[in-house]
């Protein structure tokens, strides 16, 4: 057994706090952002002396992680402390403590001193008692339900078109068939907006609260992810799981400005869910934005009712254009980078500070669409695809949003993106500010970036690419479309490095990476798999199409020597099986290449 402590925690800030606590106890701490990553660390380093884990983890939940760990012969002495927000999960884990080898279970709300004392007891070989669950008081629940009632969120009419569009976009963005905007009421959950539900549930728009996964989100004030509900000891007997409606779940709380949790924005699949920690963070950001929008709409409705009671009439002297024109000069006079976004997501005016920050001429920005503006900003980061997804969540002009971005160019810096909505005649505008919160990224963030983005080619690393590939294969299966995989090996890279130096080899590898990216765009993506080997995912492309892409890669005169192999996913084949076939095909192609050179 290795003498290190493993922290399995999807929230980087909380993981860093636990890491600091363990360092104070003289332990080397290693962080994993999901259960599958924790597994990989244990495979490489051996079982840790201490595991501190949440029970709600992306890709592989805490129950499954502990079950797997206890099957290892080197984990007999591993001490385990669980820290989680969900009382019902915590109680179930305590019932299974002997099977799972759990020494302590703590609420997420436990103080740092209690966590530290518990870790010390666990390391000394003691089992800490289970603290009583912190049941929400009746008064707290009454205030939460009163908040839902005062906002007039529950009605008998059809779901609002804008919210229906939102959940549809969420389902598409996360590659799942079902997305819900769910309000948790006294004895039921009610779907304010929904997409992908079976007809009976879509008509009823509700289930008993006892069936609700979102109830746990409300109780814990935290995001909940259940990667495989059918195997989960808390959820496997849920009627929605038994009926095959929920196979996996991820939900983020709808938290008001005064702290009440209205319900959850959630995504659901009938299959196990392959979402990473970054996906969960994006879902949390979106839920926060949606909750703010719901509050804003409620205030607007209350204001309209107040004017009607007083016989007042809204001012109509200003038009949309005249109101925005009044703000344009003020925006241009500001020193902080600002963009004024008109209703309908139209960039209307910006100042020189914003143009300088983003490397765009000030006169060009008002002519861009908001989508093009977001694409430009995303292109300045190390992970444009992930950043664009997060910025897309901010693109509705009626919602406030804030996000931290790490730019790579024009120079490395961290920016805070804050969108503040405000009403104008004809709709809702936004004032978008970008504030510099520090030039260098933290060492922890830099390490995380390097784990996910290959510094040489700018492509996803194998770790990040494998997550995306598994997710795309699952999405293609659900949509009933093929998915191709292409492996490319720069066979002459070693010889090139020896003859012309590593700079020349790096330049050639970057060139092949750029060409491969261009061939698979816009629906596919490329990954630096290992060394001189690249992988391309081709969603929607069958075996013949993948083979055509492979031939185009080889069809450029004077291009570097590469060997490649193309396959397509076959039926219900496990993604690892597809990859194994691709690797075997590439090995055969490389053997043929070497034989031809020797001949």
């Amino acid at each position: 057994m290795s003498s290190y402590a493993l922290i399995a925690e999807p929230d980087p800030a909380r993981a860093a706090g636990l890491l600091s606590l363990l360092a104070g106890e003289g332990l080397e701490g290693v962080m994993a952002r999901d259960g599958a990553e924790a597994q990989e660390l244990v495979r490489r380093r051996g079982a840790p002396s201490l595991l501190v884990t949440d029970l709600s983890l992306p890709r592989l939940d805490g129950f499954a992680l502990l079950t797997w760990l206890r099957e290892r012969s080197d984990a007999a002495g591993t001490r385990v402390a669980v820290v989680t927000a969900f009382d019902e999960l915590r109680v179930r884990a305590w019932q299974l403590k002997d099977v799972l080898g759990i020494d302590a279970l703590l609420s997420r709300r436990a103080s740092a001193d209690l966590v530290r004392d518990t870790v010390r007891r666990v390391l000394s070989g003691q089992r800490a008692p289970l603290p009583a669950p912190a049941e929400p008081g009746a008064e707290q629940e009454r205030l939460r339900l009163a908040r839902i009632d005062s906002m007039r969120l529950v009605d008998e009419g059809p779901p609002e078109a804008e919210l229906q569009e939102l959940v549809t976009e969420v389902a598409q963005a996360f590659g799942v068939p079902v997305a819900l905007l769910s309000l948790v009421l006294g004895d039921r959950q009610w779907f304010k907006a929904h997409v992908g539900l079976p007809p009976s549930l879509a008509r009823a728009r509700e289930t008993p609260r006892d069936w609700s996964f979102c109830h746990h989100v409300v109780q814990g004030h935290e995001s909940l992810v259940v990667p495989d509900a059918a195997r989960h000891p808390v959820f496997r007997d849920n009627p929605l799981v038994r009926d095959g409606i929920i196979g996996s779940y991820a939900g983020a709380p709808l938290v008001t400005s005064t702290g009440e949790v209205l319900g959850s924005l959630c995504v659901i699949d009938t299959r196990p869910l392959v979402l990473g920690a970054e996906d969960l963070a994006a879902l949390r950001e979106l839920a926060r934005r949606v909750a703010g929008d719901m509050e804003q709409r409620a205030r607007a409705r209350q204001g309209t009712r107040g004017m009607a009671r007083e016989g007042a009439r809204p001012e109509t002297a200003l038009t949309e254009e005249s109101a925005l024109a009044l703000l344009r000069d003020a925006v241009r006079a500001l020193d902080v980078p600002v963009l004024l976004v008109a209703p309908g997501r139209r960039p209307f005016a910006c100042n020189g500070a914003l143009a300088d920050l983003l490397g765009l001429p000030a006169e060009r920005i008002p002519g861009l669409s908001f989508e093009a503006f977001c694409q430009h900003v995303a292109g300045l980061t190390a992970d444009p695809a992930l950043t664009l997804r997060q910025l897309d969540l901010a693109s509705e002009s009626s919602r406030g949003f804030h996000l931290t971005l790490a730019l790579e160019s024009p120079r490395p810096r961290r920016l805070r993106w804050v969108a503040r909505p405000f009403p104008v005649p004809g709709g809702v505008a936004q004032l978008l500010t970008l504030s510099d919160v520090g030039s260098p990224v933290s060492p922890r963030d830099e390490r995380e970036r390097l784990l996910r983005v290959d510094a040489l080619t700018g492509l996803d690393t194998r770790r990040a690419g494998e997550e995306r590939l598994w997710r795309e294969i699952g999405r293609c299966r659900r949509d009933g479309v093929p998915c191709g995989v292409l492996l490319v090996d720069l066979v002459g890279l070693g010889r090139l490095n020896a003859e012309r130096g590593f700079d020349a080899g790096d330049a050639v590898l970057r060139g092949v990476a750029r060409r491969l990216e261009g061939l698979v765009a816009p629906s596919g993506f490329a990954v630096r798999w290992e060394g001189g080997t690249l992988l391309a995912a081709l969603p929607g492309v069958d075996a013949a199409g993948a083979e055509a892409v492979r031939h185009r890669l080889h069809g450029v005169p004077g291009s570097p020597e590469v060997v490649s192999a193309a396959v397509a996913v076959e039926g219900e084949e496990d993604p690892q099986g597809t990859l194994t076939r691709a690797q075997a095909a590439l090995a055969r192609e490389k053997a043929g290449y070497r034989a031809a050179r020797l001949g």
Side-chain angles (χ1 to χ4, degrees):
M1 184 171 61
S2 302
S3 58
Y4 73 98
L6 175 58
I7 301 166
E9 166 59 62
D11 187 302
R14 288 173 179 158
L18 289 169
L19 187 65
S20 176
L21 183 150
L22 294 174
E25 301 302 312
L27 290 170
E28 177 201 1
V30 179
M31 295 186 293
R33 296 191 65 183
D34 59 56
E37 185 178 333
Q39 273 187 326
E40 184 60 30
L41 284 165
V42 173
R43 290 190 184 102
R44 292 205 311 263
R45 299 193 54 164
S49 57
L50 173 67
L51 169 63
V52 181
T53 183
D54 199 340
L55 295 173
S56 174
L57 295 173
R59 297 209 291 166
L60 185 77
D61 68 75
F63 288 100
L65 174 63
L66 291 173
T67 300
W68 172 84
L69 183 68
R70 289 311 176 196
E71 293 173 352
R72 291 180 59 93
S73 58
D74 62 347
T78 297
R79 301 292 181 181
V80 174
V82 169
V83 183
T84 191
F86 307 103
D87 287 337
E88 291 181 47
L89 272 64
R90 193 156 51 96
V91 170
R92 182 60 177 144
W94 191 250
Q95 293 168 349
L96 298 171
K97 61 183 181 300
D98 295 325
V99 175
L100 300 178
I102 297 173
D103 299 287
L105 272 151
L106 287 169
S107 167
R108 176 74 73 195
R109 297 179 286 277
S111 67
D113 288 341
L114 178 56
V115 175
R116 184 180 296 105
D117 291 343
T118 301
V119 167
R120 288 172 178 170
R121 292 186 64 172
V122 168
L123 290 172
S124 69
Q126 302 178 58
R127 175 171 279 177
L130 175 66
E135 293 291 339
E139 179 63 14
Q140 181 182 350
E141 177 69 357
R142 186 190 69 78
L143 291 174
R144 190 187 71 82
L145 295 174
R147 183 78 159 126
I148 293 175
D149 185 60
S150 69
M151 293 173 68
R152 297 180 180 270
L153 296 178
V154 181
D155 59 68
E156 297 304 321
E160 298 172 45
E162 186 176 359
L163 294 179
Q164 281 295 105
E165 182 180 352
L166 168 71
V167 293
T168 301
E169 291 174 354
V170 169
Q172 292 172 349
F174 288 91
V176 298
V178 180
L180 308 172
L181 189 60
S182 174
L183 302 179
V184 177
L185 308 178
D187 58 356
R188 61 188 175 121
Q189 68 170 343
W190 182 76
F191 307 132
K192 189 165 180 64
H194 58 86
V195 64
L197 285 175
S200 59
L201 279 182
R203 286 193 298 270
R205 292 180 68 183
E206 65 177 38
T207 72
R209 183 166 175 169
D210 290 345
W211 297 7
S212 170
F213 285 58
C214 298
H215 155 75
H216 298 271
V217 176
V218 170
Q219 173 267 317
H221 282 65
E222 288 281 344
S223 300
L224 171 68
V225 57
V226 183
D228 191 347
R231 297 174 182 269
H232 198 284
V234 174
F235 298 106
R236 62 191 174 201
D237 294 326
N238 185 294
L240 299 174
V241 177
R242 290 200 308 264
D243 292 346
I245 296 170
I246 297 180
S248 50
Y249 170 95
L254 300 167
V255 186
T256 68
S257 58
T258 49
E260 298 93 356
V261 181
L262 308 173
S264 171
L265 176 67
C266 64
V267 293
I268 294 170
D269 203 342
T270 55
R271 301 171 181 266
L273 196 63
V274 187
L275 294 183
E278 293 82 2
D279 298 302
L280 200 58
L283 188 64
R284 280 196 301 268
E285 288 284 357
L286 180 55
R288 183 159 50 225
R289 179 168 67 88
V290 172
D293 178 61
M294 293 168 75
E295 283 194 287
Q296 180 184 334
R297 288 166 176 260
R299 285 194 295 268
R301 286 194 296 268
Q302 289 165 355
T304 301
R305 289 195 299 272
M307 286 191 296
R309 285 194 299 268
E310 297 168 11
R313 295 179 180 272
E315 289 291 334
T316 57
L318 285 176
T319 65
E320 177 185 310
E321 291 297 318
S322 62
L324 293 172
L326 289 174
L327 295 169
R328 180 168 46 206
D329 290 341
V331 164
R332 290 174 176 171
L334 293 173
D335 293 329
V336 295
V338 176
L339 174 66
L340 178 61
V341 182
R345 296 182 296 176
R346 294 182 294 116
F348 187 83
C350 70
N351 58 8
L354 182 85
D356 293 342
L357 182 69
L358 301 180
L360 272 174
E363 63 275 9
R364 183 183 165 200
I365 293 176
L368 296 174
S369 66
F370 194 80
E371 289 76 10
F373 176 77
C374 289
Q375 287 173 354
H376 175 81
V377 175
L380 303 178
T381 69
D383 191 343
L386 174 62
T387 304
L388 187 58
R389 174 186 291 179
Q390 293 172 318
L391 294 181
D392 281 345
L393 303 181
S395 63
E396 290 292 336
S397 62
S398 63
R399 298 183 175 93
F401 191 81
H402 54 88
L403 176 72
T404 300
L405 303 173
L407 298 193
E408 295 288 304
S409 60
R411 65 179 180 83
R413 66 179 76 194
R414 289 177 69 80
L415 297 180
R416 190 64 172 165
W417 166 300
V418 179
R420 296 181 176 87
F422 61 93
V424 296
V428 177
Q430 271 193 6
L431 199 63
L432 172 63
T433 59
L434 295 175
S435 53
D436 196 331
V437 293
S439 298
V441 297
S442 69
R444 176 170 53 82
D445 288 343
E446 179 64 14
R447 286 195 301 272
E448 177 64 22
R449 187 185 69 80
L450 291 174
L451 285 172
R452 304 195 68 82
V453 180
D454 177 59
L456 175 61
T457 63
L459 302 179
D460 284 350
T461 61
R462 179 167 180 167
R463 168 186 162 182
E466 194 172 73
E467 291 178 12
R468 293 181 68 185
L469 177 62
W470 274 210
R471 191 159 57 241
E472 283 299 326
I473 289 175
R475 183 183 64 79
C476 288
R477 279 180 177 154
R478 286 190 299 273
D479 294 344
V481 298
C483 183
V485 176
L486 176 64
L487 277 176
V488 179
D489 191 271
L490 191 58
V491 287
L493 184 60
R495 187 171 63 255
L496 183 63
N497 286 334
E499 294 175 357
R500 296 173 51 192
F502 286 96
D503 287 345
D506 289 349
V508 170
L509 184 58
R510 279 193 295 268
V512 174
R514 295 287 80 76
R515 174 157 172 74
L516 186 61
E517 272 193 311
L519 287 173
V520 303
S523 59
F525 60 89
V527 179
R528 186 178 183 188
W529 201 246
E530 57 186 7
T533 303
L534 308 176
L535 177 143
L538 302 164
V541 177
D542 60 12
E547 188 66 22
V549 173
R550 189 176 81 87
H551 282 293
R552 288 202 298 275
L553 179 69
H554 290 264
V556 177
S559 60
E561 289 181 284
V562 296
V563 169
S564 61
V567 301
V569 179
E570 295 180 351
E572 293 296 314
E573 178 182 47
D574 182 85
Q576 187 61 52
T578 303
L579 185 58
T580 299
R581 285 196 298 110
Q583 290 171 324
L586 182 65
R588 291 192 296 270
E589 292 290 334
K590 290 171 71 173
Y593 169 84
R594 287 192 294 268
R597 284 184 60 86
L598 290 174

